[in-house]
Amino acid sequence: MRTVVDEELVIWVMPVYRSANTIERALDSVLHQTYHRQIVLVIAEPDDNEVCSIVKKYEDKDKRVRLIQNEVRCGISRSLNRGLDIAISEYPDCKYIARMDSDDYSYPNRLEKQVFFLEENPLISLCGSNIRMINNGRDFVVVYPKDMDGILASSLFVSPFAHPSIIAKKEFYYENYYKDDVVAEDYELWLRSLRDRRMANLQETLLDFYCDGEHASNTEAAIASTIEVRKKYLFDYLGVDTSDITDQAIFHRLIPTQYKSTRDTIISCATL
């Protein structure tokens, strides 16, 4: 059986903002991977001096860490896009780009497993994984759909990926950047790119996702953005006029317990 060696360069893109209490946990987790050929791009805001000071210490002792400080306040989408621009333009030997948040923890074998999967499945452009969600000391595992059929079906209801768990081929981002006017930037990106890309989720837990950190997925702005994204990219696919559907109904549709085929799921939802 083929084993993964550190042949391909992986670049992490990690935006940070006021995460001084968690950034060391996140950086340590990516720097202690069983897969070693990597570079960590940490994109910080101009006023985040405490975080920058911590990252600079890592940069001074580990050449794989690079601190990039924005000149003006950019927010997460533009920070992500800046990191992608640098990964693509300044590292021509980069093959994969991985996401990471500054308040999460990647398991030591995450990169090894994901790189191996993508190398063995060349038609797949992007893959994520299951995650362990931690909230105020309580935790549970979130399982994401394995293949395109489940991913397409689940996209009607929720984001089919845990954003900080994904890794993608560099080429995926040539035409698929984050929109900086969308709060639910990851969900919008997945739905925009699902038509012509094959994606997957490893059915293993490879990341601890801390809900009590900097994640903003439950804010009112994120909910409103999610509703607009669903209207534009999902209901439009089905030819459904959403003008008479309340935002509450659009947001609170529940995903089936078992992922069905895309066609069966759409039919079942149409009859709700």
Side-chain angles (χ1 to χ4, degrees):
M1 179 179 178
R2 180 185 171 198
T3 59
V4 172
V5 293
D6 300 331
E7 294 179 348
E8 308 297 348
L9 176 61
V10 179
I11 295 185
W12 300 88
V13 174
M14 183 192 300
V16 298
Y17 186 61
R18 295 183 178 175
S19 52
N21 293 332
T22 60
I23 184 65
E24 292 182 73
R25 175 179 66 204
L27 279 173
D28 287 341
S29 75
V30 300
L31 293 173
H32 291 87
Q33 293 285 303
T34 56
Y35 188 95
H36 301 292
R37 191 165 186 237
Q38 56 171 299
I39 291 173
V40 188
L41 301 181
V42 181
I43 304 94
E45 298 291 12
D47 58 343
D48 207 355
N49 295 326
E50 186 176 6
V51 168
C52 288
S53 177
I54 295 171
V55 176
K56 189 66 171 64
K57 292 178 181 178
Y58 277 82
E59 186 180 42
D60 289 343
K61 66 182 181 181
D62 193 323
K63 64 181 181 181
R64 296 175 297 170
V65 178
R66 178 178 172 186
L67 173 63
I68 300 157
Q69 192 163 10
N70 296 327
E71 295 180 357
V72 296
R73 180 87 165 86
C74 289
I76 186 170
S77 293
R78 282 191 290 168
S79 292
L80 283 169
N81 287 337
R82 187 179 185 193
L84 294 174
D85 280 336
I86 292 171
I88 291 170
S89 63
E90 298 186 23
Y91 298 92
D93 54 341
C94 166
K95 185 171 183 179
Y96 299 111
I97 297 175
R99 272 285 288 115
M100 182 65 183
D101 282 338
S102 60
D103 53 354
D104 292 331
Y105 173 86
S106 283
Y107 292 9
N109 59 353
R110 172 187 165 183
L111 270 194
E112 182 176 0
K113 286 181 175 292
Q114 289 186 309
V115 170
F116 179 79
F117 175 81
L118 290 173
E119 289 287 295
E120 292 292 299
N121 297 273
L123 296 180
I124 302 294
S125 297
L126 175 151
C127 80
S129 74
N130 298 336
I131 63 172
R132 183 171 71 120
M133 190 168 287
I134 301 171
N135 189 0
N136 294 322
R138 303 178 64 182
D139 66 273
F140 56 92
V141 172
V142 181
V143 177
Y144 287 85
K146 177 181 179 180
D147 52 26
M148 281 302 295
D149 198 49
I151 288 169
L152 287 168
S154 70
S155 297
L156 288 165
F157 308 94
V158 294
S159 175
F161 301 97
H163 193 193
S165 80
I166 66 104
I167 181 173
K169 293 179 179 177
K170 177 175 66 174
E171 291 78 11
F172 173 80
Y173 290 108
Y174 286 174
E175 298 179 354
N176 293 301
Y177 271 46
Y178 296 92
K179 290 190 174 181
D180 59 16
D181 59 346
V182 178
V183 177
E185 76 288 337
D186 55 328
Y187 190 27
E188 191 280 334
L189 175 59
W190 314 144
L191 299 184
R192 179 163 31 100
S193 57
L194 278 173
R195 287 181 171 181
D196 56 0
R197 299 284 181 172
R198 296 196 63 80
M199 307 178 191
N201 278 299
L202 299 187
Q203 297 300 284
E204 300 183 57
T205 303
L206 299 177
L207 179 116
D208 284 347
F209 183 104
Y210 286 83
C211 299
D212 49 354
E214 298 297 323
H215 293 295
S217 59
N218 292 319
T219 65
E220 290 185 7
I223 291 173
S225 179
T226 297
I227 291 170
E228 291 307 310
V229 167
R230 285 180 183 168
K231 284 181 177 180
K232 180 174 177 56
Y233 289 101
L234 292 179
F235 290 96
D236 285 353
Y237 289 170
L238 305 178
V240 176
D241 181 3
T242 63
S243 59
D244 293 330
I245 304 176
T246 67
D247 287 352
Q248 183 179 13
I250 290 174
F251 185 73
H252 289 290
R253 294 286 191 184
L254 298 178
I255 190 164
T257 303
Q258 299 294 328
Y259 292 113
K260 304 177 182 180
S261 71
T262 304
R263 177 178 177 275
D264 289 345
T265 300
I266 290 172
I267 291 173
S268 67
C269 292
T271 61
L272 291 178

